[in-house]
Amino acid sequence: MRSLAAVVGTLLSAGGVLGASTTRARGLLDLHANNGTVPGGFIVELSSSSTKRAADTHADFLSELDKRAAGKFTTRKKYDSPLFNGIAIRLHTPEDLISLASIPNVVAVRPIQIFQVPKTVDRRIVTSTSDADIPVGQSVHYMTGVDKLHAQGIAGKGVKVAVVDSGVDYMHPSLGGGFGPGFKVAGGYDLVGDEYTGFDNLEPDDDPRDTCIGHGTHVAGIVGMDPGNAYNVSGVAYDATILAYRVLSCWGLGSDDVYVDALLRAHADGADIITVSLGDGNGWASTSVAVVASRIAEQGRVVTISAGNDGTSGSMFFASPATGENVISVASVQNLRQHNAALRTSVEHAPIPYAVASFAGHQGMPLSVDETPIPLTAISTDPDAGDSACEPLNVDLQQQVVIVRSATKCDSDTQVSNLVDANANIILFYDQDPAYRAAYGLVVQLPVRADADFLISELAKGTPIRVTFPQDNSGVDVPDDNGGLVSPFSSYGPSNEVLFKPSVAAPGGNILSTWLIDDGSWAVDSGTSMSTPYTAGAAALILQMKGKNAAKNVRSILQTTADSIPASKDKGALPQTLAQAGAGLINVFNALNAHTEVSPAELLLNDTAHWKGSHKITIKNTGKAKQSYTISHVPAMTVISLASSKINFLADPDIKQVSAPARVKLSQSSMTLSAGQSAMFTATISAPAGVDPKLLPVVSGSIVIDGSQGDALRVSYMGIAGSLRDAQTISTSNDMLVPESGGLPAVIPVGRNESGAQRGSRNYTLTTLPRFAFTMAQGSRHVKLDLLDAAADVHSTIPDPLDSAPQTKRGFTWSSWLPESASHKSLNAAGAAAIATLGPLAEWRDLPRGGAFQRGSNFIYMEFPSQFANGTKVPFGQYKLLLRALRITGNPSKAADWDVYVSQQVGILDG
Ligand SMILES: *[C@@H]1O[C@H](CO)[C@@H](O)[C@H](O)[C@H]1NC(C)=O
Ligand SMILES: *[C@@H]1O[C@H](CO)[C@@H](O)[C@H](O)[C@H]1NC(C)=O
Ligand SMILES: *[C@@H]1O[C@H](CO)[C@@H](O)[C@H](O)[C@H]1NC(C)=O
Ligand SMILES: *[C@@H]1O[C@H](CO)[C@@H](O)[C@H](O)[C@H]1NC(C)=O
Ligand SMILES: *[C@@H]1O[C@H](CO)[C@@H](O)[C@H](O)[C@H]1NC(C)=O
Ligand SMILES: CC(=O)N[C@H]1CO[C@H](CO)[C@@H](O)[C@@H]1O
């Protein structure tokens, strides 16, 4: 069973536009700010020093801005932490962006991003316990060794964990039933208020109770809910103290200027661990929250952040702020058990678990039909039939539920379409291909084969059976066929800087935890939002046992003692790519009981243009007796990132993993160390043979160190067996996102009768200006849009998608928008500047690549600019647009490191 990954956060994120069409941009100020960035909003980082206090730099900055900004501005936040000095402001006039960057002491200007409450992958409120042998809540602890630590009474005593989320419903009996000193939720703050939408409507107060969203309550329960409840579930660190920082309003909206504040507050309040289940597919480590989170981690606190739920977008689509260099970014593994809805039958039998199989179906949710009993029919009375409903059927199945085996002789779509043609009401599949995604709504899957066999044998005997689909929330726990494997929704790394991302994995698929007491009190939910607090709880157990000075080592400890996660349940399957699994599934018992330390935990290979293959690894025997070690290499699956078109990333269901191991030479294959002794060996890793470097294969694996006292530790490596600088950055393919579009970039005329991209040259007036759209195949640190004289002798260095694509209708439905934003210091980019242009129109920094199913999909879809970046009107004339994007790791002063695209000719005429 697979679900379409949910979208975490919003789009477009880190980019900013320098200058926009003023009138249109002003219009945007009035829009609901749910479009990626706060219009006109920036976090400005300022430099401070011992002679210049933060407060003074704030005052200087504001008085300078007051002098320079023609329009008004609003001050949203002031940060004067030693970790981050700066101001968040909102400009009311786009032209003032230019002033911003030129003010002294400005270190960085980053647009304020809007975040939404992560849409978790499946959610279900639960109301009844099941009779399964391992309760769904405890099974996660069996997976990670936490059950054994709980049995020893280790549950995070004395450790403070800050939950930065939608608040916590601390009135929940399993979360302490109160707030303040002495309670489990001992402190925190509401930084947003109920109504915050990203505009200037923050209403902070000191009560962080979660009354409307539930996400933070679920997260807090995973960290530390008390045992002894009806479901016999417990948080990982139920003796820890929780601090709740509410950063999401009842609209489910928050913004990163607020998150930065929350992180700094949690740090100042003495949180030992900060956990953040928020993020946005982005790829870059340079967003405000990622930068601040990383600095906090560097200061010796543990920061856990979700990898993101964008696994269907393929490799290198990692969420920010989990991209932050020093944070622990957490992937998700499926719980061993899952909670299913259950149908009832008119014959004596326990409720039968089923899963809704449609594309949009939510695991665990009942099929949405009324509760009248419906007769059941089998297409074949042979439960092993492999060809049922492969041919058109000569029966009328109206008003019947049909049970059918997933065929081996034809595909499920054929079966479904034959059954639907025969008027089947509801289809029950069994033995189903887990990759199956039905296009029809009323298709369910029975995960337990014995249930199907029972129903068919009764029907074969002639017993009439009626089935009902109760619409209440009672259900049944069953083993998950994919239990223990990486959740398909879990985002892939590495980051665009080729940092080792994700760090580790923890249970995040089908997790039972606390919920709002006004909305059922308990829920099963899935996402890296769930695996992240699990890891925060694990860190609390480690800090309790090893002391708080261990904080800086928690990531390494969890990584080196993690358990390898296989790519499938097949015997002998290689480990899942570490780009999705991280170093492996955390094993907290091993983390606290190993008699050996190895370092470093991560080997960063970078890409082939910057390959670092040789690494020294130290093994230390921390036990009381002599130990001998064997050292070996265990490769993981290699991800082929790009489609053979060599432009765009492969997305679900085409993500390709192959067995193409890196070649690893170890200077030693064994060693013996006496108690307390340490020694070093060298691992030399080269890119695998037989994979096309142009497809950017992500290669990963571990050096495994097995000790004679039972320790199994690992050092994990990740790198790209190709050169990022050689990869085309501007997408020009027509097989991504809008298949029928004819490809981007393109000038797109608008009007009732318009349906395609502009071909050839064309004239417009100011009232009929077209749009311009593009999307990125790779992330880019720097994207520039300039105006060219139509006669300029400048040519694209990338193919024009219109040359290869048939002229077909476009599917654009988005309204015009152009995120206003960043003023950045003007370029010293000689390479890009070498082309003579009429002037800059817009620019973006740290743009993410397009994702597969993103809302908005990181398209830039904008009005044809009628003004330069500085607000000066573009005179009437004949023009082309010049779009340039710096390749990842490209040198801005080298022309060859920029992709250049020149648009069709556009005339702007008076009229
Ligand atoms: C409840 O969980 C504990 C472990 O935390 C386990 O030992 C016990 O058997 C469980 N009880 C039930 C009724 O499942
Ligand atoms: C990889 O190399 C690039 C280019 O030198 C550098 O910017 C980046 O930080 C390197 N990444 C790592 C993980 O070392
Ligand atoms: C749009 O097409 C319709 C039908 O072909 C035609 O009648 C109408 O005049 C066209 N409108 C414009 C603005 O060209
Ligand atoms: C656009 O307008 C210019 C100036 O009026 C004219 O020379 C040119 O032929 C027009 N181009 C098209 C494609 O109509
Ligand atoms: C604005 O930018 C354009 C294009 O670069 C330039 O020609 C013009 O002189 C600038 N105007 C001002 C007021 O700086
Ligand atoms: C272009 C775009 O996506 N605009 C959206 C911005 O957010 C508001 C509120 O959610 C939507 O209504 C707009 O469609």
Side-chain angles (χ1 to χ4, degrees):
M1 187 177 349
R2 105 168 37 185
S3 44
L4 177 61
V7 176
V8 182
T10 45
L11 53 147
L12 228 188
S13 41
V17 165
L18 179 64
S21 151
T22 318
T23 43
R24 319 280 172 174
R26 282 215 182 96
L28 269 181
L29 298 176
D30 307 323
L31 273 181
H32 197 279
N34 188 7
N35 300 88
T37 53
V38 172
F42 300 95
I43 298 177
V44 181
E45 184 173 358
L46 299 169
S47 60
S48 54
S49 61
S50 45
T51 52
K52 195 138 189 104
R53 291 181 315 123
D56 297 334
T57 61
H58 292 175
D60 290 355
F61 173 81
L62 291 173
S63 81
E64 271 298 318
L65 186 59
D66 212 22
K67 271 188 250 159
R68 297 176 189 224
K72 288 203 282 287
F73 66 91
T74 320
T75 307
R76 290 166 62 102
K77 291 257 170 218
K78 292 182 182 177
Y79 313 100
D80 60 359
S81 156
L83 292 177
F84 191 77
N85 177 31
I87 288 199
I89 51 155
R90 199 166 149 228
L91 298 175
H92 296 189
T93 316
E95 291 89 273
D96 291 338
L97 303 176
I98 306 288
S99 313
L100 199 59
S102 54
I103 294 177
N105 292 323
V106 170
V107 176
V109 179
R110 304 182 182 99
I112 298 177
Q113 273 182 266
I114 299 285
F115 286 82
Q116 287 182 297
V117 62
K119 215 199 271 157
T120 39
V121 182
D122 308 296
R123 173 172 305 143
R124 175 174 169 75
I125 308 293
V126 294
T127 52
S128 76
T129 46
S130 78
D131 53 3
D133 35 355
I134 303 172
V136 72
Q138 289 300 317
S139 56
V140 293
H141 300 328
Y142 288 84
M143 298 169 74
T144 57
V146 165
D147 59 330
K148 288 183 255 177
L149 298 172
H150 283 176
Q152 295 171 15
I154 301 168
K157 202 169 204 60
V159 181
K160 279 189 211 164
V161 184
V163 171
V164 176
D165 210 290
S166 63
V168 174
D169 190 352
Y170 48 70
M171 293 311 291
H172 196 294
S174 295
L175 292 172
F179 176 66
F183 285 101
K184 179 185 289 288
V185 183
Y189 198 69
D190 175 2
L191 291 93
V192 285
D194 289 355
E195 299 299 329
Y196 184 58
T197 50
F199 285 110
D200 300 335
N201 57 345
L202 288 167
E203 284 173 12
D205 66 43
D206 51 17
D207 182 0
R209 185 169 175 199
D210 179 9
T211 53
C212 46
I213 297 288
H215 187 266
T217 302
H218 202 265
V219 162
I222 293 168
V223 173
M225 63 191 156
D226 284 324
N229 49 61
Y231 295 90
N232 197 25
V233 299
S234 60
V236 182
Y238 53 79
D239 285 341
T241 295
I242 291 175
L243 305 176
Y245 297 88
R246 182 177 184 227
V247 295
L248 290 167
S249 67
C250 289
W251 295 103
L253 293 174
S255 54
D256 65 355
D257 58 336
V258 175
Y259 293 178
V260 166
D261 195 3
L263 291 174
L264 294 173
R265 238 172 216 280
H267 179 257
D269 292 349
D272 303 303
I273 297 164
I274 301 175
T275 189
V276 183
S277 288
L278 299 160
D280 200 358
N282 172 290
W284 296 105
S286 46
T287 60
S288 304
V289 191
V291 165
V292 172
S294 183
R295 284 183 198 163
I296 290 174
E298 207 179 3
Q299 294 294 307
R301 308 289 175 86
V302 177
V303 184
T304 53
I305 308 185
S306 309
N309 298 348
D310 289 317
T312 51
S313 287
S315 65
M316 296 189 77
F317 201 69
F318 206 70
S320 168
T323 43
E325 185 166 355
N326 299 305
V327 308
I328 303 179
S329 49
V330 188
S332 169
V333 164
Q334 291 299 106
N335 194 345
L336 294 176
R337 302 195 66 84
Q338 65 177 24
H339 196 76
N340 277 101
L343 58 85
R344 308 290 199 276
T345 60
S346 56
V347 288
E348 195 160 325
H349 192 274
I352 292 176
Y354 70 90
V356 178
S358 77
F359 193 64
H362 285 232
Q363 188 267 316
M365 299 303 282
L367 188 69
S368 180
V369 292
D370 70 38
E371 294 188 345
T372 352
I374 316 170
L376 179 70
T377 311
I379 291 297
S380 168
T381 48
D382 171 8
D384 294 322
D387 58 353
S388 299
C390 282
E391 302 295 332
L393 299 160
N394 282 323
V395 286
D396 188 359
L397 301 169
Q398 193 143 26
Q399 301 306 321
Q400 293 177 65
V401 177
V402 182
I403 182 165
V404 61
R405 179 164 182 252
S406 190
T408 46
K409 301 232 168 77
C410 65
D411 63 26
S412 307
D413 286 334
T414 308
Q415 290 180 289
V416 170
S417 99
N418 288 330
L419 290 164
V420 167
D421 286 348
N423 302 318
N425 188 353
I426 295 169
I427 305 167
L428 305 184
F429 268 110
Y430 61 96
D431 269 6
Q432 194 162 286
D433 169 9
Y436 174 73
R437 286 185 294 194
Y440 303 92
L442 299 181
V443 177
V444 306
Q445 182 209 347
L446 305 182
V448 181
R449 171 66 197 251
D451 291 335
D453 289 345
F454 167 80
L455 292 173
I456 290 173
S457 70
E458 287 297 311
L459 290 169
K461 280 192 259 168
T463 317
I465 302 179
R466 289 171 169 264
V467 297
T468 39
F469 295 86
Q471 296 297 299
D472 66 14
N473 286 314
S474 59
V476 172
D477 288 350
V478 294
D480 184 346
D481 290 344
N482 296 317
L485 299 182
V486 175
S487 308
F489 57 74
S490 200
S491 294
Y492 290 75
S495 73
N496 289 341
E497 298 87 0
V498 207
L499 292 170
F500 188 100
K501 298 286 174 183
S503 313
V504 289
N510 302 319
I511 306 301
L512 175 58
S513 182
T514 47
W515 197 250
L516 301 175
I517 52 178
D518 291 339
D519 187 19
S521 294
W522 299 95
V524 173
D525 220 339
S526 296
T528 54
S529 283
M530 281 69 243
S531 57
T532 299
Y534 197 96
T535 305
L541 306 189
I542 293 173
L543 294 190
Q544 179 191 350
M545 298 312 289
K546 290 192 183 268
K548 295 191 178 166
N549 286 338
K552 266 190 151 174
N553 296 327
V554 166
R555 186 171 80 185
S556 308
I557 294 170
L558 288 173
Q559 287 181 313
T560 54
T561 57
D563 290 325
S564 171
I565 305 169
S568 73
K569 291 281 169 97
D570 297 342
K571 227 174 157 178
L574 284 189
Q576 175 70 349
T577 171
L578 307 196
Q580 199 187 20
L585 175 60
I586 58 170
N587 186 319
V588 197
F589 183 82
N590 288 353
L592 288 175
N593 290 283
H595 312 94
T596 306
E597 283 170 14
V598 295
S599 65
E602 300 176 347
L603 310 178
L604 307 178
L605 306 181
N606 217 327
D607 70 351
T608 48
H610 310 91
W611 193 258
K612 186 170 183 316
S614 178
H615 295 264
K616 289 192 180 355
I617 297 166
T618 304
I619 306 180
K620 182 174 186 195
N621 178 359
T622 57
K624 294 204 166 63
K626 186 156 95 173
Q627 290 193 75
S628 54
Y629 296 95
T630 59
I631 306 167
S632 57
H633 170 225
V634 179
M637 296 296 278
T638 293
V639 189
I640 305 300
S641 298
L642 303 190
S644 49
S645 67
K646 299 177 182 169
I647 299 173
N648 289 317
F649 279 80
L650 286 166
D652 180 71
D654 304 319
I655 297 170
K656 220 191 299 176
Q657 293 198 33
V658 299
S659 168
R663 289 162 291 169
V664 175
K665 245 177 60 202
L666 300 170
S667 63
Q668 265 169 272
S669 59
S670 64
M671 63 170 72
T672 300
L673 298 174
S674 52
Q677 195 190 2
S678 52
M680 203 146 70
F681 69 97
T682 307
T684 308
I685 307 172
S686 353
V691 287
D692 182 352
K694 290 207 160 57
L695 305 184
L696 302 182
V698 181
V699 59
S700 59
S702 341
I703 313 300
V704 175
I705 294 115
D706 286 306
S708 51
Q709 290 187 22
D711 289 343
L713 287 97
R714 63 187 60 252
V715 169
S716 305
Y717 65 83
M718 193 184 300
I720 296 175
S723 164
L724 290 168
R725 195 177 47 215
D726 292 343
Q728 184 178 317
T729 304
I730 298 171
S731 176
T732 51
S733 107
N734 53 13
D735 60 2
M736 186 186 187
L737 304 164
V738 189
E740 67 288 325
S741 76
L744 300 177
V747 174
I748 304 158
V750 285
R752 205 175 292 161
N753 288 2
E754 301 284 357
S755 64
Q758 176 186 325
R759 287 167 189 265
S761 58
R762 187 162 160 179
N763 287 325
Y764 301 86
T765 64
L766 284 175
T767 55
T768 62
L769 287 179
R771 306 280 159 82
F772 178 63
F774 67 95
T775 185
M776 304 301 294
Q778 300 279 337
S780 176
R781 283 257 179 237
H782 199 162
V783 178
K784 295 162 53 65
L785 186 67
D786 288 79
L787 198 66
L788 276 182
D789 189 312
D793 188 22
V794 181
H795 302 279
S796 296
T797 58
I798 55 175
D800 189 329
L802 295 181
D803 290 345
S804 59
Q807 187 157 1
T808 48
K809 289 199 177 206
R810 280 177 183 274
F812 291 110
T813 53
W814 303 284
S815 59
S816 155
W817 66 293
L818 178 57
E820 294 175 61
S821 84
S823 151
H824 287 285
K825 296 206 165 140
S826 56
L827 307 177
N828 52 359
I835 298 173
T837 75
L838 297 173
L841 298 167
E843 66 178 86
W844 295 261
R845 294 295 181 128
D846 295 357
L847 271 191
R849 71 168 173 89
F853 295 111
Q854 300 308 103
R855 190 169 58 79
S857 289
N858 302 326
F859 274 94
I860 310 280
Y861 184 54
M862 57 192 286
E863 300 265 336
F864 191 95
S866 59
Q867 306 189 10
F868 290 104
N870 62 7
T872 299
K873 283 199 167 52
V874 171
F876 297 118
Q878 295 292 323
Y879 303 107
K880 288 176 179 172
L881 294 175
L882 172 67
L883 179 69
R884 285 172 291 181
L886 184 62
R887 293 185 171 192
I888 300 186
T889 73
N891 175 351
S893 59
K894 250 177 83 186
D897 288 356
W898 293 79
D899 278 349
V900 175
Y901 170 81
V902 178
S903 77
Q904 308 292 98
Q905 180 170 331
V906 170
I908 307 181
L909 305 185
D910 199 353

